[in-house]
DNA sequence: AGTTATACAGAACGATCGTTCGTTCGGTAT
DNA sequence: ATACCGAACGAACGATCGTTCTGTATAACT
């Protein structure tokens, strides 16, 4: 017997909390993690403020859960598909395509969630800063490892620092997504994709 | 006679309002343009909320004035010094150095102001969105014109689209500044500078 | 000197913020 | 059948939000 199992239907509970978090991810991708309001979110979910926040404890815990869910959504949309490609340069190429694709498909209604969160907390200390920084660092580490494998396979110039490659890919995707969305430049994602491919020595095609 | 001149000492009035705006720029570069609070700002300036907001009319007008001042500060720090270099590639090179330099020097205590504002308003319509978009578009236009001159001088590959170059430079600076600040990567600005130089065909040095 | 306009303080407005209660209700275990 | 847990509610808390109004002191102009 599982002594610490939830007494109530586990599926229902998880669904309720998970759907709240997913709605909050969409809202926060537009308004920012700091722009979330318990009242507004509760209104959209047709539940009471106290009922909503009771699931998390306090607002900060909710924000952290929302961030974690957004990272998960990004991983599902970008990393998981790309990880099916062969390690090294092919996988980096697939990452670029999935990355651009998830921006084009509107996986986050307000643009790249992690970028929004990065800007919100890059100059403000606290647990959320640390969470965002940890997520970005981990992603950069993944990219760097892949770039290193590509270099070892001879698919990148030997002088090219894998950490530089990772950082450049991230900067391009992050900055390009914001600028394109802001100015309404329809070609922005194409420009970004071409620049990212250039960064890993691939033809623009 | 100047019929519509301010009745009060024009210099004093301008100073008072200007210093409020400058303080607000510093605050907003950390907390965001949306994170500014009339109460907080008034407290820092040791004046009343009503006295402060009376200078602008309402909060949105104040935010627009703050944004305009931040753009001016960026122009002073980045464009004006670089514009002394010869048009084309030399000027682009100077822009890169001034751009990185203003980030390194902490011209904005919370990182690049326009990037913060871009993220805040890239998914939210309104006058502030339009102001930010206009500022970014103008800056991209300046970069593009310079890239075009560089290409005409034969300092850039003929196949390279000047708009692509401008967009890539902006993406790198914007995204790199945020990621570096967030993760505390001391080498981030160097990486960004190297990537920006690569984007205009210059050696990393 | 008298008049006028302005800058600012102070107080108050309704709204909303995040949080904390006490209560109710449905489901599970004993 | 009883006890209990957890989810969710409605109501209220003090704090703060942006805004408005009123009074006043001061500077500028006649």
């Amino acid at each position: 017997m599982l002594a610490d199992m939830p007494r109530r239907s586990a599926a229902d509970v998880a669904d309720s909390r998970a759907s709240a978090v997913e709605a909050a991810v969409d809202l926060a991708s537009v308004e920012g993690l700091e722009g979330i309001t318990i009242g507004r979110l509760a209104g959209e979910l047709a539940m009471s403020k106290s009922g909503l926040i009771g699931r998390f404890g306090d607002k900060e815990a909710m924000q952290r859960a929302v961030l974690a869910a957004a990272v998960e959504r990004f991983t599902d949309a970008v990393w998981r598909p790309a990880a099916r490609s062969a390690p090294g340069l092919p996988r980096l190429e697939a990452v670029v395509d999935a990355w651009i694709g998830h921006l084009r498909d509107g996986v986050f209604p307000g643009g790249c969630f992690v970028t929004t969160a990065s800007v919100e907390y890059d100059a403000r200390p606290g647990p959320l800063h640390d969470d965002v920084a940890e997520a970005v660092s981990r992603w950069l580490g993944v990219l760097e490892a892949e770039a290193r494998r590509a270099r070892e396979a001879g698919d990148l110039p030997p002088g090219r620092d894998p950490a530089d490659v990772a950082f450049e890919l991230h900067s391009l995707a992050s900055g390009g997504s914001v600028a394109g969305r802001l100015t309404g430049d329809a070609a922005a994602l194409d420009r970004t994709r071409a620049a990212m491919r250039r960064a890993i020595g691939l033809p623009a095609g």
Side-chain angles (χ1 to χ4, degrees), chain A residues 96-129:
Chain A
V96 170
D97 281 337
W99 206 336
I100 298 295
H102 108 284
L103 293 172
R104 204 182 308 268
D105 297 346
V107 167
F108 296 102
C112 178
F113 188 101
V114 176
T115 298
T116 303
S118 294
V119 170
E120 282 186 285
Y121 298 106
D122 69 345
R124 251 186 299 177
L128 276 158
H129 165 98

Side-chain angles (χ1 to χ4, degrees), chain A residues 8-196:
Chain A
R8 200 180 178 183
S9 156
D12 286 6
V13 171
D15 280 6
S16 166
R17 186 184 147 123
S19 66
V21 169
E22 290 304 317
V25 169
D26 289 337
L27 201 153
S29 97
V30 175
E31 310 273 353
L33 222 24
E34 212 65 27
I36 296 183
T37 264
I38 297 174
R40 279 250 315 253
L41 184 59
E44 284 192 16
L45 294 166
M47 65 186 301
S48 67
K49 293 200 293 174
S50 56
L52 172 62
I53 200 61
R55 289 309 198 92
F56 302 93
D58 59 10
K59 191 190 179 184
E60 189 179 273
M62 185 183 79
Q63 290 171 312
R64 300 181 71 176
V66 171
L67 173 63
V71 169
E72 185 62 24
R73 197 191 283 189
F74 177 85
T75 305
D76 274 342
V78 177
W79 175 246
R80 300 237 157 80
R84 289 198 293 265
S85 297
L89 190 61
R91 190 172 286 171
L92 278 180
E93 184 174 5
V95 164
V96 170
D97 281 337
W99 206 336
I100 298 295
H102 108 284
L103 293 172
R104 204 182 308 268
D105 297 346
V107 167
F108 296 102
C112 178
F113 188 101
V114 176
T115 298
T116 303
S118 294
V119 170
E120 282 186 285
Y121 298 106
D122 69 345
R124 251 186 299 177
L128 276 158
H129 165 98
D130 298 344
D131 285 356
V132 179
E134 205 264 337
V136 170
S137 295
R138 211 169 49 221
W139 178 234
L140 286 174
V142 169
L143 293 175
E144 180 181 342
E146 223 54 60
R148 176 165 292 113
R149 252 169 263 170
R151 195 182 60 175
E152 284 163 2
D155 290 332
L156 282 181
R160 199 94 163 90
D161 178 7
D164 280 351
V165 173
F167 191 82
E168 188 169 343
L169 287 176
H170 180 76
S171 293
L172 286 168
S174 175
S177 143
V178 171
R181 176 176 279 271
L182 178 75
T183 62
D185 178 4
L189 289 182
D190 291 329
R191 296 190 208 280
T192 301
R193 195 178 102 103
M196 292 175 79

